[in-house]
Amino acid sequence: PAGATDPAGVDIEIMDAVGKYLGVKVSWEKMKFEGMLTAVASGRVDAAAGCIADYGDRQKQATFIDYAYALIGFTVDATNPHKIVGTDPMSLCGATIALQNGTSSPHHLNQYSAYCTDHGGPAIVQKSFPSAAEALLALESGRADAYITSYGAGAYQEQQTNGKVKVVAPPEIPDKYYVNAQPKVYIGVTVSKDDKQLQDAILAAVQHVRTTGTFYDDLLKKWNVSTFSLDKVGINLHTARPIVNKNGS
């Protein structure tokens, strides 16, 4: 997550545990989010992890081994001058929102923006940045009213800044606006579509990590995302086991 100097988070610790189960050491390479799937598809890396949401279009580039849910969130300054709240989608209208390149954030913001303009509010202003750290800096420096990220990353940022920023859950909007992205998604590690052996090995390891002892539950609790626990891990769950969101989307 933004603010961390070394790789950190649920994904990192799960994959380290996967490596331990498989008897291999996981070597981490930092890269921009927008290049992760390309790196997997090209063979530059064996796998990629980092709150990568499983979407149908992404499955064209890589295979997902999904091990948790994720929810989008809006990280705001503690004073929250734009008054963004998780109970009112109109609170996002007219806000300048920072996002990281290569993520699904534009889809989410376009959907909220359409809701705003349909209901007489101003559109959302989107500001794109190459990295999560730069997007968070835009918020901290007052150049953005919020930074759209995963709820888990927002909770981490809230914890690491001692409450200087806080995370707001995504407000619900009617089903018809969820055209390209849902607020709740599966996340997982991505591997080459052609490497069935690695897919099976990581799936078996993830299943072991999920079902053996309390490691998985303790890990999610540590990162304040216990509500995103996935009971049954699997491959390409976006299409194999679609999520029905709270409002039926």
Side-chain angles (χ1 to χ4, degrees):
T5 55
D6 295 310
V10 170
D11 307 272
I12 305 300
E13 295 192 43
I14 283 182
M15 288 308 298
D16 283 342
V18 164
K20 183 177 180 180
Y21 176 81
L22 295 176
V24 298
K25 177 177 172 53
V26 176
S27 298
W28 292 98
E29 179 182 341
K30 286 187 176 182
M31 64 177 62
K32 293 179 179 178
F33 189 92
E34 59 190 311
M36 286 184 175
L37 294 182
T38 302
V40 169
S42 68
R44 176 182 166 188
V45 298
D46 297 310
C51 201
I52 306 176
D54 179 358
Y55 289 115
D57 58 342
R58 290 179 175 174
Q59 289 178 10
K60 296 175 183 178
Q61 295 179 270
T63 293
F64 282 76
I65 295 94
D66 296 315
Y67 46 69
Y69 293 109
L71 186 72
I72 64 167
F74 294 91
T75 302
V76 299
D77 184 84
T79 61
N80 195 8
H82 200 82
K83 308 302 180 187
I84 295 171
V85 294
T87 54
D88 182 9
M90 294 299 287
S91 67
L92 293 166
C93 302
T96 297
I97 299 182
L99 60 98
Q100 183 182 359
N101 292 344
T103 65
S104 59
S105 297
H107 292 318
H108 292 290
L109 295 180
N110 288 341
Q111 291 167 176
Y112 278 113
S113 200
Y115 179 89
C116 287
T117 56
D118 282 355
H119 291 79
I124 292 170
V125 178
Q126 302 182 31
K127 281 191 174 182
S128 300
F129 295 91
S131 69
E134 289 169 279
L136 182 61
L137 180 61
L139 168 65
E140 294 173 333
S141 63
R143 290 176 289 142
D145 299 305
Y147 160 43
I148 183 172
T149 181
S150 71
Y151 191 91
Y156 173 85
Q157 292 152 6
E158 183 173 337
Q159 183 184 61
Q160 292 298 110
T161 61
N162 295 315
K164 291 182 180 179
V165 300
K166 63 181 181 179
V167 63
V168 176
E172 289 185 14
I173 52 179
D175 296 352
K176 67 178 182 178
Y177 290 98
Y178 294 126
V179 177
N180 294 308
Q182 305 288 352
K184 185 178 181 180
V185 296
Y186 293 111
I187 60 169
V189 56
T190 60
V191 299
S192 170
K193 289 169 59 68
D194 300 323
D195 197 336
K196 187 68 166 56
Q197 183 176 0
L198 183 59
Q199 293 171 25
D200 291 343
I202 292 181
L203 176 62
V206 169
Q207 287 173 329
H208 173 83
V209 168
R210 175 65 187 92
T211 59
T212 305
T214 63
F215 171 82
Y216 180 91
D217 292 331
D218 291 345
L219 178 62
L220 267 59
K221 182 178 180 180
K222 169 185 173 181
W223 290 95
N224 299 317
V225 289
S226 294
T227 55
F228 302 144
S229 171
L230 179 60
D231 289 337
K232 187 176 180 181
V233 304
I235 289 180
N236 288 344
L237 293 183
H238 173 79
T239 51
R241 200 163 73 225
I243 295 172
V244 177
N245 282 283
K246 183 178 179 181
N247 60 348
S249 56

